[in-house]
Amino acid sequence: MFGFGHKHSRVARSVAMRRPETVRTRIGRFVKNRGLQLRLSIVFLSMLLLLLALQSWRAPFPFRQGDYIPHGITAKLEFERIDKEETEKAQILAESSVPYWFRHDSGNLDSLPEELRASLGDIARADSIEKLGDETRRDFGLSNAIPVGLRAEEAAQRFGTDKPDERFRELREAVVGQDMAMAQVRIQALVDDFGKFIEPLNKIGVIDPETVKRLEITPDKRILVMDEDVTEREGRAMLLPNVRLQDQLNDAGVLGIRWEEFPTLTKEIRPAISHWLYRRAQPTLRYDQNATQLAKAEARDSVDVRMKRYLKDDILVNSQTHLKADDLELLRDEYQAAEATIPWTSRLSRMAIVFALLLVLTWLNGFYIVLNEPKIATDVGRLVLYLSAIVFTAFIARLGSFDPLRAEIIPLLTISLLIGVAYNQLLATLTAFTLTLLLTMSTTGRLDHFLVLLATQTAGIIPLRKVSTRTTLIKVSFFSAITFFAVSCGAAVVETQSLQEVWDNTNFLVMSAKGAAMCLVAGYLVAGTLPFVEQAFGVVTDMTLLELSDPSHPLLKDLVRLAPGTHNHSMSVASIAETAAEKIGGNGLLIRVGAYFHDIGKMLKPQYFIENLQEGGVSRHTQLNPAMSTLIIIGHVKDGVDLAEQYNLPQPIIDLIEQHHGTTLVEYFYREATKQVECQPDHRTDAEESSFRYPGPKPQTKEAAVLMVADACESACRTLTEPTPKRIESLVNSIAMRRLLDGQFDECDLKMSDLHIVEESIVKSLIAVYHGRIRYPDARSA
């Protein structure tokens, strides 16, 4: 009976006693996981920022300049918009009604009486017109010169320009009279009356004929006159004839009606005095351009805008046309009017729907990142950088998507190429899809727009499998430019159903070519910012790795000079590890360059490492106790990290230097210390295993794990006296198993199947190095 009962194992009992996981336990575990809460909070905050960056509460405005409208566009609602043409007409009319502003300075007229006294004196002293100076003759109209601003007929009618001799005698007789001794008395009387005669000019002013001509002031145009010393903008309104001297001297002018008030100014000398005044009077009115422009601006601003009403179903854009700038402005006004009628409840509903879409896209992206890019999912810094790049790209792309820029392809293609270079093509494609979908929904909402943007980015991501030079990025951007132009034209042909119409649409072809050129801009932008991107994302590109693999690098040159044996070992490990890493899908170039530098710390104390000892040399460790020797051996890792940081090597290379020994045991010196302890029981603490282990960390990537195995196998294989294939295979398997059982691969994603493939690759590489050779017979002596 006892033999037939069911036998319960200890493991089965422990499993049976374990409580099943419930929702409550999961929530409790989530509450305790502060790191997960922080990362989820960052993701949630990024989603809110995306809602703001994309203005998710607004409906998309689908129209762009040059778009083909096959069936026309009608108004969806009744709305009003500013009639710019009518408003402009009203503003121009208001401006034209503003009078010109002038400053009046009567001081220019104060010297006229004395000047007239001198001129009349010249008339009195000359007994003939020939003895009269040319200037005086022109002033009094005693020559054939026509005053400025008057036509010949007008001057002849007003001043009588014919018979200058006769008019001279009449003027001299009026000034001198019958008695020469009374000339001064007569002149004084004339001057006194003349001063009173021109008194109205001191109040009204005189305008410059040239100013009238330049400003095109018409007789019916009002002007405003202000005194020169007045600061307030208040003036006297006048018409042009009131301030133009030729009109003031007319019979109906302000001066012409005053002749009879002064008996000395007889009819015989009035033409001469008028002529003299016309020539000698300086303008007193100065055009004030600032005051006039300010008054015109005020008048223009005071005009109420003219509105134009559109009824529902009114035709806004005719069918089978391409949108022009005026059409686009009209459609935007209708869009703004429609947006103004949407209540906040509807806006909140739209935001909720967009947020739900963001949740779906975030889940898709997050699912991929958690499974395939754990560095982003677990590192808060990298997660913040990735999400910040997405939010910033969405914000910039939306701003640049409207006319006249239409440059949304630049930030989209730039971030897609950067993620493709920094991480991988699949993550770049997924990011491109997410950003393009969100941007399209917030801007145009059109399928053709989505296809053009996504196809362009995909065309740039596909060739990014291996970017060895910056020229590759330029070639990629050129391929994206061709794709942009081709897909844009193809979508237009599908929409219009006419290749000829697309070919004849110059504006569309120019915009497509502009978008293609922006793809090239994105390529140059990525190539120029790549070093900063590597530092920001903590990644290293193939271009940088190829530059570091140059034998002329200062660290490699020093390694050859100071530790040639270590350099030879590093070159061998690089070749072996690169082949093995590529077999399991690892980054072969990264591990090769990392192997070049993994032992650079040894060149600070090269004689303490056996590969640098010359044949017959004595190891310096014979004079040291095992603990001190272990410190020196272990120290080469820290020294290597310090040198790498000093020479600004990328972080992935530094990680390989730091992790290529993990926390393995320095077995030789540990055994030596154990032997010494057996003879000295009081010193058992000197042989503690933890004191003879590397500080780590353990390999975090499969590349670091492969480098650890390849490094140990290459070094150990040199100790074989007869490196036969069987011995090499046994040695490699033994080293790999010891590392596995020691837990060195617990923190990386190296699988057992990968480890088996790595073993086979390393065995093949070592057998190729230590293959047997044909023994040639010794040459016979003569």
Side-chain angles (χ1 to χ4, degrees), residues 74 83 219 228 260 282 287 531 597 631 669 686 777:
T74 58
D83 192 333
E228 189 69 40
E260 301 298 334
Q282 295 296 322
Y287 174 55
F597 293 92
L631 290 177
F669 292 109
D686 294 343

Side-chain angles (χ1 to χ4, degrees), residues 26-41:
R26 292 179 181 177
I27 295 176
R29 190 169 64 250
F30 171 76
V31 171
K32 294 178 181 179
N33 192 339
R34 300 297 182 185
L36 179 59
Q37 294 178 28
L38 176 60
R39 294 192 294 274
L40 290 178
S41 300

Side-chain angles (χ1 to χ4, degrees), residues 114-125 132 136 139-140 276 280:
E114 293 302 321
E115 294 177 13
L116 179 61
R117 184 192 304 276
S119 297
L120 293 177
D122 292 341
I123 294 293
R125 287 189 294 274
L132 195 62
T136 304
D139 289 343
F140 285 103
W276 184 90
R280 300 297 291 269

Side-chain angles (χ1 to χ4, degrees), residues 58 94 106 132 230 570 676:
R58 298 174 66 93
S106 61
L132 195 62
V230 175
S570 298
Q676 293 181 6

Side-chain angles (χ1 to χ4, degrees), residues 202-217:
N202 292 327
K203 297 180 180 180
I204 300 175
V206 178
I207 195 170
D208 187 0
E210 292 296 328
T211 302
V212 174
K213 183 179 180 181
R214 177 167 55 86
L215 298 178
E216 299 180 352
I217 303 177

Side-chain angles (χ1 to χ4, degrees), residues 386-641:
Y386 174 74
L387 295 177
S388 299
I390 290 179
V391 174
F392 181 75
T393 301
F395 177 72
I396 296 299
R398 189 181 189 281
L399 286 182
S401 65
F402 299 102
D403 291 303
L405 291 178
R406 306 277 291 275
E408 65 271 25
I409 189 60
I410 293 180
L412 290 178
L413 184 58
T414 299
I415 193 64
S416 299
L417 295 180
L418 287 178
I419 293 178
V421 171
Y423 292 106
N424 58 69
Q425 295 166 291
L426 190 55
L427 179 60
T429 304
L430 193 59
T431 304
F433 172 80
T434 302
L435 281 172
T436 305
L437 180 60
L438 293 175
L439 179 67
T440 305
M441 291 185 61
S442 66
T443 53
T444 61
R446 289 162 37 190
L447 179 61
D448 60 333
H449 187 216
F450 172 80
L451 292 176
V452 170
L453 295 180
L454 186 60
T456 302
Q457 295 174 83
T458 306
I461 294 171
I462 290 175
L464 286 180
R465 182 176 179 84
K466 189 173 183 180
V467 183
S468 56
T469 62
R470 286 179 169 80
T471 307
T472 304
L473 293 173
I474 307 303
K475 294 178 180 178
V476 165
S477 64
F478 183 76
F479 185 48
S480 297
I482 296 176
T483 304
F484 184 95
F485 188 85
V487 176
S488 297
C489 294
V493 171
V494 171
E495 184 177 13
T496 61
Q497 299 182 359
S498 172
L499 177 62
Q500 186 63 38
E501 186 172 350
V502 174
W503 181 256
D504 294 337
N505 189 354
T506 306
N507 184 52
F508 171 79
L509 295 177
V510 170
M511 293 301 299
S512 299
K514 178 183 175 182
M518 290 179 182
C519 295
L520 298 177
V521 172
Y524 281 99
L525 188 61
V526 173
T529 59
L530 201 55
F532 306 100
V533 173
E534 291 182 2
Q535 185 175 5
F537 283 88
V539 297
V540 58
T541 62
D542 291 351
M543 289 174 284
T544 302
L545 291 175
L546 289 173
E547 293 172 358
L548 292 174
S549 65
D550 189 349
S552 63
H553 191 282
L555 281 175
L556 296 181
K557 292 173 66 176
D558 290 342
L559 186 63
V560 172
R561 181 171 54 86
L562 299 175
T566 300
H567 177 268
N568 185 36
H569 160 70
S570 298
M571 297 298 110
S572 300
V573 171
S575 177
I576 295 171
E578 180 183 17
T579 304
E582 290 178 347
K583 290 289 182 64
I584 61 173
N587 191 336
L589 181 58
L590 172 63
I591 198 172
R592 173 161 66 88
V593 178
Y596 288 165
F597 293 92
H598 80 285
D599 275 343
I600 55 176
K602 290 183 178 180
M603 66 182 174
L604 299 183
K605 300 181 182 70
Q607 298 304 320
Y608 286 91
F609 298 91
I610 191 169
E611 66 265 24
N612 296 312
L613 289 179
Q614 296 181 357
E615 186 176 358
V618 179
S619 173
R620 295 189 180 186
H621 290 288
T622 57
Q623 303 175 1
L624 303 175
N625 61 46
M628 182 59 67
S629 296
T630 300
L631 290 177
I632 295 175
I633 296 298
I634 292 175
H636 87 275
V637 174
K638 183 179 182 302
D639 293 338
V641 171

